[in-house]
Each structure stands twice: as C-alpha cells, then as structure tokens.
Amino acid sequence: LGVAPQARHWVVAVGPGNNGGDGLVAARLLHGAGMAVTAVCTRTEGLPADAALALDQAQAACVKVVDTWPPPGSDGVIDALLGLGQGRQPEGKLAHIWAAMLGDPAPRLAVDLPSGLDADRGTRGIPTGLEIPRAAHTLSLLTLKPGLFTGLGRDVGGTIWLDRLGCADH
C-alpha cells in the first residue's frame, strides 16, 4: 500500500515455489485491506508446504485465484513468479504467465527480486528467452540481495524496500 496508495486492483503473478507463496500472502493482505485482487497461479497442486498453506489461506479469504492473466486494467502487478531458487528456464504455464505479466502496463512490485534476476550477481538467473521484468519497486525480504545493486539489478529493481519480517538485525 505504501508504494501505490491509490491502487484499488492488483494482479499477483504467483509462481510454483515459496516466492509464489509470498505473493499469495500479499494477495490475502491486500484483499483484507479492501483491494480487488486477482492471483494468477502457475499451479495450485504440488506446492511447497508454506506456499500450499498460503494458497489455502488466500482461498479461504475469498481471493480470486485463476490460471490465466486478466485483461489490462489493474492498478498494480506483483511479481512473485521466481525467487532465490531460480535458475531453470521458464516453460509451459510459467512462461505464459511471465509473458502476460511483461505485457501488462501496470506498475510492478517485485517480491524479493525481479523474477529471473540472480540474487548474488545481478545477472540473468535464467538461461535464455524471456526478459527480466522491470519493477518500479522491489520488496526484499529478510535481507538485501547484492544482485539488486549490481549489473542488471540496478536497471530492473526500481526502488528497493526491505522488510526483515520481524527478524532481529544481527
């Protein structure tokens, strides 16, 4: 809400791992704050335990969960497709949702780092193909990722925010 207080409709691109789970938590919280939210999931079966729990909670809160990108018209997009454990080439449903997200003109907020960006080096973290989504803002979780401040990261990360998620700074 802090990066786009006027926004009333969000689309969340939800990947198959825990980054997607973080996106589902954001979707649930935005929905609870009175926003219209559409969570576009690459899959809803076979998720890691934390992401599966986040999906159950989002659905219980009546967040709209779909598997295809909605028509343009949202006020903001949340990129929660791939996080730290990436490195594989996007294919299938993931590639389709990635391409749709890239084509959406709404401002983008990346969860942890823009999908496809290597967290340590600021280089492409995926072999080839789709471009790295350019974020207006990135909300880095727990710690700042060096890749956001080097190489390609400087161009695609936008304004960097940090949420330590209640963990003490040691």
Side-chain angles (χ1 to χ4, degrees):
L1 294 175
V3 300
Q6 76 290 352
R8 293 294 170 250
H9 180 239
W10 289 87
V11 176
V12 183
V14 179
N18 286 321
N19 190 258
D22 292 337
L24 287 163
V25 170
R28 179 177 51 83
L29 295 173
L30 286 167
H31 180 76
M35 306 294 149
V37 181
T38 303
V40 184
C41 296
T42 58
R43 69 178 192 208
T44 56
E45 301 292 327
L47 298 172
D50 288 344
L53 176 62
L55 176 62
D56 290 344
Q57 291 173 337
Q59 289 175 319
C62 298
V63 171
K64 182 178 180 181
V65 177
V66 300
D67 65 356
T68 58
W69 201 263
S74 69
D75 298 316
V77 170
I78 296 177
D79 171 7
L81 285 176
L82 294 179
L84 297 174
Q86 62 193 330
R88 64 190 175 276
Q89 182 66 29
E91 53 189 32
K93 180 67 76 175
L94 176 61
H96 178 73
I97 291 173
W98 190 310
M101 179 180 70
L102 286 171
D104 194 305
R108 195 170 4 259
L109 167 72
V111 176
D112 229 7
L113 63 153
S115 290
L117 181 70
D118 181 278
D120 294 322
R121 296 182 298 275
T123 58
R124 290 179 60 82
I126 55 174
T128 62
L130 296 168
E131 68 181 87
I132 306 298
R134 185 176 301 272
H137 301 273
T138 297
L139 177 60
S140 190
L141 303 175
L142 297 175
T143 185
L144 292 170
K145 310 325 182 258
L148 291 169
F149 303 99
T150 59
L152 184 61
R154 295 186 325 221
D155 295 329
V156 299
T159 302
I160 310 299
W161 299 74
L162 173 64
D163 187 338
R164 295 191 187 278
L165 301 176
C167 293
D169 186 20
H170 296 313

